[in-house]
Amino acid sequence: MASSLPQNQIQSILDSARPFLRGELESIDPNLPSLISVLRSVGAGECWHKHGTFLEHLIDIYKILKLWKSPDSVALCGLFHSAYSNSYVNLAIFDPSTGRDVVRSLVGGSAERLIHLFCIVPRQPIIHDDLLFHYSDKELVQHLQLSEISLRNAKEKGLFSSEEGWRKKLQSILPAQGITVKHIKTGEDISVSRRVMAVFLLMTMADFSDQLFGFQDQLFDNADGRLEFSGDESATTLWPGEGKPGLWMNSISRMGALYNLIVREEEIFIEERKRGCGSFSNGSLKHDTDKDDRDEEIELVIPPVFENCSKVLDAGEQRVARDLYWEAVCGGTKRGLEVVEELLLKCVEKNPFVGEPHVVLGQAYLARGRFEEAEREAEKGVRLMLEWGSPWDKRMSWEGWIAWGRVLLMKAREKSWPKTAWGILNLGLVR
């Protein structure tokens, strides 16, 4: 069967990831090694954080945002994103009353402003209660379809309508001029532009994908996979739990869809202003000087995950897929590779957005000498894992999964696979 993605495209994604895989941080940003040294020197590597240490998490978020092609100010915000603490965690490695000048000198004014805002806004209620929970999955899918048509009409035909249902709803909860929220500690009013809210939504996608696994599902009783933080099993949940992949992907796909809607509405808004259409009377711009208040200099990029944030993964299918994967990797081999193949094919049908099931399926095909199918699955898996920048199955590191997937891909192309246990242990080199 033909490869699912041209080899030069896989190579392009791999080239973007290679500096992280090789630890060549100075090639990403000459200042990056010294920034990480500062974070290490103030104790970030000693702080517990969900799936490891705070320092590991900060570096991982930076990596994900860079792989998603985010601008430097956003990626640097990711690197320092909870440095003054925030509405989720108590990790103030810099004192917000005295450390802002220090952080500003390290990352620049634009990034420090984002870092500070990120740490003082009530992110949990804004993103979930005020934005995400206003939409059903079905509504998000419908609005994605309608917004694509609206954006095309705006750019190609100069047609605009503020009365379109998807635009009216988005503008009602996140208007063009932004929103006012309460400082999480002082209670004072804080103005947050729509583009900055979009950035925080993007960062939350990266944040959750890096840190969430089965432990949080147990902690918050996330049995339905909708990640609504409605339960509390703190008395009976022991860290790190059994290590299952978490049921967070429905929530992240919803964030991605909402982020995409905001990006499209911003593009339409700016196109409408550029063409001199409309009165801009419904909470938008009165003169050009107001552009600065909207943070239009911040580029909004679309992450590659969930097919460029165009799909919403059903919460139920997410759970079924996870359980099929878990059955395959934890007990399926005792019943034979045919059963493993059946389980994993059902898994990737239910959830086609993560790479690890494809990689495991690739190994199952290699063991049976089905090299073309193994190449196809290993390639899909490596591509998806490179796009995420974080592992779904967090029992192994992202770097480890990428290395293993590349070994499988190489062996599939060579049409060879070890026949002994020692042969498996001797694998490792990738070209």
Side-chain angles (χ1 to χ4, degrees), residues 128 132-133 137 208 212-214 216-218 220-231 245-255 306 312-323 351 392:
H128 291 90
L132 208 57
F133 294 163
D137 290 9
F208 280 17
L212 298 187
F213 61 114
Q216 287 92 342
D217 291 334
Q218 292 177 275
F220 293 106
D221 193 21
N222 184 35
D224 64 1
R226 295 195 62 80
L227 199 61
E228 294 175 341
F229 304 101
S230 55
L247 298 174
W248 47 266
M249 294 199 73
N250 165 260
S251 179
I252 304 298
S253 70
R254 288 165 52 77
M255 290 184 199
F306 299 111
V312 174
L313 176 62
D314 178 78
E317 293 197 342
Q318 162 194 236
R319 176 167 184 161
V320 170
R322 192 277 308 272
D323 291 346
N351 181 357
W392 174 66

Side-chain angles (χ1 to χ4, degrees), residues 76-132:
L76 289 170
C77 179
L79 186 63
F80 285 76
H81 72 272
S82 297
Y84 306 130
S85 286
N86 62 37
S87 61
Y88 278 101
V89 294
N90 179 23
L91 285 166
I93 57 175
F94 295 98
D95 185 334
S97 63
T98 60
R100 290 195 64 186
D101 288 342
V102 173
V103 175
R104 192 179 297 113
S105 71
L106 294 169
V107 300
S110 297
E112 194 280 333
R113 174 174 170 263
L114 288 176
I115 295 164
H116 184 250
L117 279 173
F118 190 86
C119 290
I120 65 173
V121 301
R123 185 164 54 110
Q124 166 74 13
I126 294 174
I127 288 180
H128 291 90
D129 300 335
D130 298 343
L131 296 178
L132 208 57

Side-chain angles (χ1 to χ4, degrees), residues 181-285:
V181 301
K182 297 294 184 182
H183 191 298
I184 61 172
K185 292 183 178 177
T186 68
E188 66 181 299
D189 286 345
I190 304 293
S191 296
V192 185
S193 72
R194 185 160 68 185
R195 292 178 89 86
V196 166
M197 275 311 310
V199 166
F200 290 170
L201 195 58
L202 177 75
M203 287 181 55
T204 303
M205 292 174 64
D207 185 41
F208 280 17
S209 72
D210 180 67
Q211 66 178 279
L212 298 187
F213 61 114
F215 170 69
Q216 287 92 342
D217 291 334
Q218 292 177 275
L219 195 62
F220 293 106
D221 193 21
N222 184 35
D224 64 1
R226 295 195 62 80
L227 199 61
E228 294 175 341
F229 304 101
S230 55
D232 186 342
E233 299 295 328
S234 55
T236 57
T237 300
L238 300 178
W239 188 84
E242 59 191 350
K244 270 187 181 181
L247 298 174
W248 47 266
M249 294 199 73
N250 165 260
S251 179
I252 304 298
S253 70
R254 288 165 52 77
M255 290 184 199
L258 179 57
Y259 176 82
N260 205 349
L261 292 177
I262 297 169
V263 172
R264 290 173 180 177
E265 168 60 19
E266 279 288 296
E267 289 188 58
I268 292 171
F269 178 90
I270 291 172
E271 184 71 20
E272 190 173 10
R273 186 185 63 209
K274 184 174 71 175
R275 292 174 182 253
C277 304
S279 63
F280 300 104
S281 60
N282 59 338
S284 15
L285 297 179

Side-chain angles (χ1 to χ4, degrees), residues 9-66:
Q9 287 184 258
I10 285 282
Q11 190 61 46
S12 175
I13 302 171
L14 182 59
D15 288 344
S16 297
R18 184 166 279 121
F20 292 104
L21 295 169
R22 294 187 174 182
E24 297 171 345
L25 303 182
E26 68 283 349
S27 68
I28 303 163
D29 181 339
N31 296 321
L32 187 55
S34 62
L35 294 176
I36 292 173
S37 294
V38 169
L39 290 167
R40 185 177 287 112
S41 71
V42 294
E46 301 170 38
C47 298
W48 175 81
H49 190 276
K50 315 300 190 294
H51 192 252
T53 71
F54 188 35
L55 180 62
E56 291 171 327
H57 177 63
L58 293 174
I59 296 170
D60 284 346
I61 298 307
Y62 178 88
K63 171 189 66 185
I64 294 167
L65 292 169
K66 290 296 285 187

Side-chain angles (χ1 to χ4, degrees), residues 4 46 110 139 145-146 166 243 245 250 253 298 333 336 338 341 428:
S4 60
E46 301 170 38
S110 297
E139 192 174 24
Q145 296 168 345
L146 294 170
W166 77 269
N250 165 260
S253 70
I298 300 176
T333 52
E338 295 85 357
E341 177 186 356

